[in-house]
Structures are given as C-alpha cells and as structure tokens.
Amino acid sequence: MTEYTWRLLAAGLSMGLGAIGPGIGVGLVGLGALNALGRNPEARGQIMTYMILAIAMAEAVAIYALVVAILLIFVTKANFRFKIMRPSGGMICQDLA
C-alpha cells in the first residue's frame, strides 16, 4: 500500500471514530431535552436554548476530527519545515528550509 492509501485510511478512520462520540452526544442531549419538555412544557425556551448550546459543543468535537482528517490527507512530509533533533549545543530543532 502506498503512503497516500495509508493517509486516506487514517483520515477515514479519524473522521469515522471522531463522529461517533458527537453523534451519541447529540442523541442523548435530544433525549434529555424531550424528556424535560414532556415534564415541564412551560420551560420550552430555556430548555431549547441549553439544548442548542450543548449540541454546538458536541459538534465542535466532530469539527476537530474533520480538521485532523483534512490534515492527514493534504499535509505531506515536504510541508514539514522542522526536524526534531536531540539537544546538542542548545539546538532543539533544525530548520530544513
């Protein structure tokens, strides 16, 4: 398998696994909001506000997974500018450019 194939596989896995948690979280938030609305329909506005805020925070994790997947696909070795080296004479990294 080529390096690009491994990148695509890693990107797919990172996005797939990174979306499982937010998907479950959004489902649980919706479940809690519907239960709360069933018990206290007068508090609809406040419940909906907190529900939307919680869903946005859960979806932020999926967006982070998307960013990681995009980086895995499009960032190549040639784009890395620094190489980590052992500290010798005070140098921690070497500029490859």
Side-chain angles (χ1 to χ4, degrees):
M1 289 173 57
T2 65
E3 179 186 356
Y4 187 69
T5 306
W6 283 109
R7 284 186 196 185
L8 290 178
L9 182 64
L13 285 173
S14 69
M15 193 60 228
L17 294 175
I20 288 175
I24 293 171
V26 168
L28 291 176
V29 166
L31 173 70
L34 289 176
N35 283 336
L37 285 173
R39 292 173 187 230
N40 189 5
E42 295 86 26
R44 181 182 188 276
Q46 189 175 12
I47 291 170
M48 294 298 281
T49 302
Y50 288 135
M51 181 189 76
I52 291 171
L53 181 64
I55 287 173
M57 289 184 183
E59 288 298 321
V61 176
I63 293 171
Y64 294 145
L66 177 65
V67 169
V68 168
I70 290 172
L71 288 175
L72 284 170
I73 293 172
F74 294 112
V75 175
T76 64
K77 287 182 191 177
N79 291 344
F80 292 122
R81 184 173 175 164
F82 293 103
K83 177 181 176 184
I84 303 297
M85 296 174 47
R86 290 186 177 158
S88 59
M91 297 279 294
I92 295 177
C93 60
Q94 175 186 10
D95 191 355
L96 297 176

